[in-house]
Amino acid sequence: VDLHVTLGRRGRLTADVYDQIKRAILDGRLRPGEALPPTRELARRLAVSRNTVLNAYQRLTAEGFLSGRAGAGTFVDGAAAPGGRMTGTSAPPGRAPRAPDRGALEPRAIFRDLARDDAHREPADRARAAYDFSIGSPDPELFPWDEWRSALLRQLRRRRRPGGYPPPEGEPRLRAAIARHTGISRSVRADADDVVVTSGAQQAFDLLGRVLVPPGACVAVEDPGYPPARFAFEAIGARVVPVRVDGEGIDVGALPDDARLVYVTPSHQFPLGAPMSLGRRMALLAWAERRRAAIIEDDYDSEFRFDGRPLEPLQSLDRSGRVLYVGTFSKTLLPTLRIGFVVAPPSVAPALRAAKLVADSHGAVDAQLALADLIDGGGFARHLRRLLRVYRARREALAEAITRRLGDRVAVLPASAGLHTTVVFADRRVAAAAAARAALSAGVRVDPLQPFYAGRARAGLALGYGMIAAPKIDEGIRLLARCLP
Ligand SMILES: Cc1ncc(COP(=O)(O)O)c(C=O)c1O
């Protein structure tokens, strides 16, 4: 290990080395079996005599903290683990002592609030649910592990690489592949220069907010809507205004006059599910043109289209360069890849590249090139066809189970795409959050609609089929039915 030792005044050098190594062992930073630097090397690094280090090592060895193996070096002794016989403590390993925190620093209110309600955290109880209808996650079992492993290995085997930092907007091959793929599958009009690769859709919201919205300016979001997008806009200091969604999408008539940016999910409204009607799309574009505002079109899960003809994305209907089309591979591949993208009009793309550079220089290169291979080689399209088959079967199983088990207690909201189905209770007084809690104790995880609303929520549940295999769906819904009032 590269051991850091702070030396005090002369005359205490051996004691300093001794104390600090002992403390590192006791609090678990140095673990049993770990090798200490050779005395000569540590002495050279600390600019002290070798004897200083040697004496400290000898004392620690005599006390049982260290042990030496001839010719092999000096190691932390096995008995010196926290909780072991040397230490007599039961402190968990790996916790370094902290400087005292007297509350001197005050994080900004938005982050203090987020930290307090934990709204951004993955619920710890997900692992406990035997029947997991949580929304937002695809099935990791369906990920093309073998193809991905080969594609990544191919990248890792490339020995010669250009030096320096690659372009912030992402690898040219991936940008070209994304432009082609979204052009074919979603009729998005783009070439590689319009694409900026981001760390998931979430970074796209953050960067677009920074680029397009001055602090204090207004951003309109859907109500109900996707909370992490709202958090991103609030975090950059925007004034976020939730705007009502009806069966056709966001209520354009209710948009604040001064909104600089409108965030929408037109293919599959999050979380209610309805696609934005063509009329509403045209009205929103006309509004944005009149108000000189920008629109973020979050097309997060539209690859999963099960029936009906897809409506044109706002991006391809846009005639004045106001739409920022955001896509992600979090649903089609895995959220842990953290690869998303923006298709930006020429007036925004250069500033967006600059924002990406400022935020994190660029995304990880090997994964981008592996993904480009997967798309270019046809593996991604093949994978999507398979996903569509599997998720279609789950969606149908869910629809049947809802009809059979919940009957007219709920109404299914119309949707033709995505990875979840939303139901609302016929009896508006049903406490959906309490029902979801009761379901969880029966091993069934579902999402109540309430956290997605700014104000009063419709009583309902979002039921995801990304994480649950078809044969478990009916039993999960049967158990859920028993928890409903
Ligand atoms: C509405 C919506 N947008 C975007 C995303 C994807 O986010 P990311 O690409 O940051 O994983 C999700 C994922 O749950 C989502 O539900």
Side-chain angles (χ1 to χ4, degrees):
V1 287
D2 190 6
L3 187 65
H4 179 87
V5 177
T6 311
L7 295 177
R9 58 190 159 73
R10 283 181 85 73
R12 273 200 46 87
L13 298 179
T14 292
D16 280 344
V17 176
Y18 165 86
D19 281 344
Q20 289 177 47
I21 294 177
K22 183 167 151 183
R23 211 169 331 125
I25 293 172
L26 289 179
D27 64 35
R29 281 173 291 146
L30 278 176
R31 280 169 304 184
E34 216 159 328
L36 271 86
T39 49
R40 203 185 300 277
E41 182 191 313
L42 186 57
R44 186 173 41 76
R45 271 202 277 131
L46 300 177
V48 298
S49 80
R50 186 171 169 220
N51 269 344
T52 300
V53 176
L54 208 53
N55 291 340
Y57 277 26
Q58 277 168 353
R59 195 170 151 199
L60 288 162
T61 305
E63 291 175 7
F65 288 101
L66 300 180
S67 52
R69 285 181 227 145
T74 307
F75 297 84
V76 178
D77 193 273
R85 76 180 151 74
M86 287 305 304
T87 61
T89 74
S90 55
R95 266 251 163 176
R98 298 253 173 85
D101 182 348
R102 300 196 184 86
L105 301 178
E106 267 210 14
R108 286 173 49 216
I110 157 88
F111 291 106
R112 269 186 287 143
D113 293 348
L114 279 173
R116 206 171 20 242
D117 25 310
D118 273 357
H120 57 297
R121 287 244 182 101
E122 189 72 351
D125 43 34
R126 170 173 286 190
R128 284 211 321 262
Y131 300 89
D132 189 351
F133 292 96
S134 53
I135 54 175
S137 288
D139 194 336
E141 302 269 334
L142 300 174
F143 183 76
W145 290 105
D146 290 338
E147 275 183 272
W148 184 247
R149 192 177 300 113
S150 323
L152 260 187
L153 274 177
R154 228 176 357 261
Q155 295 314 319
L156 296 175
R157 283 201 198 100
R158 285 182 321 137
R159 296 267 167 111
R160 256 184 301 129
R161 295 170 183 235
Y165 286 87
E169 63 271 26
E171 289 301 304
R173 267 205 310 118
L174 178 59
R175 289 188 286 117
I178 288 172
R180 249 191 338 276
H181 173 75
T182 53
I184 294 167
S185 68
R186 298 291 294 123
S187 73
V188 165
R189 291 173 299 143
D191 60 36
D193 289 343
D194 306 318
V195 176
V196 174
V197 177
T198 55
S199 171
Q202 189 61 25
Q203 189 186 41
F205 307 146
D206 175 49
L207 297 182
L208 289 169
R210 286 171 200 280
V211 165
L212 294 166
V213 184
C218 175
V219 173
V221 298
E222 295 172 324
D223 182 22
Y226 181 56
R230 195 184 79 226
F231 300 151
F233 303 131
E234 283 172 355
I236 56 152
R239 183 165 50 82
V240 177
V241 178
V243 174
R244 199 177 74 91
V245 166
D246 61 24
E248 290 192 64
I250 198 163
D251 181 352
V252 174
L255 286 169
D257 286 349
D258 61 345
R260 298 288 291 264
L261 176 67
V262 183
Y263 164 85
V264 286
T265 48
S267 295
H268 183 228
Q269 202 279 329
F270 186 94
L272 299 181
M276 189 185 288
S277 69
L278 185 60
R280 199 58 72 80
R281 287 174 198 238
M282 301 313 290
L284 178 59
L285 286 166
W287 179 91
E289 200 165 335
R290 233 176 15 253
R291 295 283 165 200
R292 300 170 156 271
I295 300 169
I296 291 183
E297 174 172 33
D298 177 7
D299 210 16
Y300 63 108
D301 67 359
S302 68
E303 286 89 349
F304 309 119
R305 158 158 298 285
F306 302 103
D307 40 48
R309 208 159 48 84
L311 286 165
E312 293 276 295
L314 289 170
Q315 197 270 357
S316 63
L317 295 169
D318 176 25
R319 295 283 167 263
S320 64
R322 311 216 146 259
V323 174
L324 292 306
Y325 178 91
V326 173
T328 178
F329 291 91
S330 287
K331 312 289 168 176
T332 50
L333 290 169
L334 280 180
T336 46
L337 291 183
R338 304 312 305 142
I339 301 183
F341 60 91
V342 181
V343 175
S347 56
V348 176
L352 187 59
R353 282 179 218 130
K356 174 70 181 166
L357 180 74
V358 170
D360 63 357
S361 299
H362 62 85
V365 170
D366 292 316
Q368 289 186 44
L369 291 172
L371 179 53
D373 278 0
L374 200 66
I375 299 175
D376 289 341
F380 184 64
R382 216 168 27 248
H383 169 65
L384 281 185
R385 284 196 294 275
R386 171 163 180 250
L387 288 185
L388 203 60
R389 258 196 325 276
V390 174
Y391 290 138
R392 182 191 297 280
R394 292 183 185 182
R395 179 180 150 94
E396 285 167 4
L398 180 60
E400 280 166 26
I402 291 172
T403 309
R404 183 176 321 128
R405 308 287 180 189
L406 300 176
D408 52 13
R409 282 200 275 173
V410 299
V412 176
L413 297 186
S416 49
L419 277 184
H420 70 266
T421 293
T422 302
V423 297
V424 288
F425 293 108
D427 178 353
R428 286 166 179 269
R429 291 160 309 174
V430 168
R437 276 196 300 279
L440 189 59
S441 12
V444 183
R445 203 181 111 80
V446 294
D447 282 300
L449 295 181
Q450 197 272 321
F452 307 121
Y453 277 86
R456 236 178 97 78
R458 282 178 90 172
L461 299 171
L463 302 165
Y465 39 85
M467 295 280 280
I468 186 161
K472 290 176 80 176
I473 288 178
D474 187 60
E475 177 62 7
I477 299 299
R478 190 184 71 81
L479 292 171
L480 172 67
R482 295 213 310 213
C483 302
L484 301 180

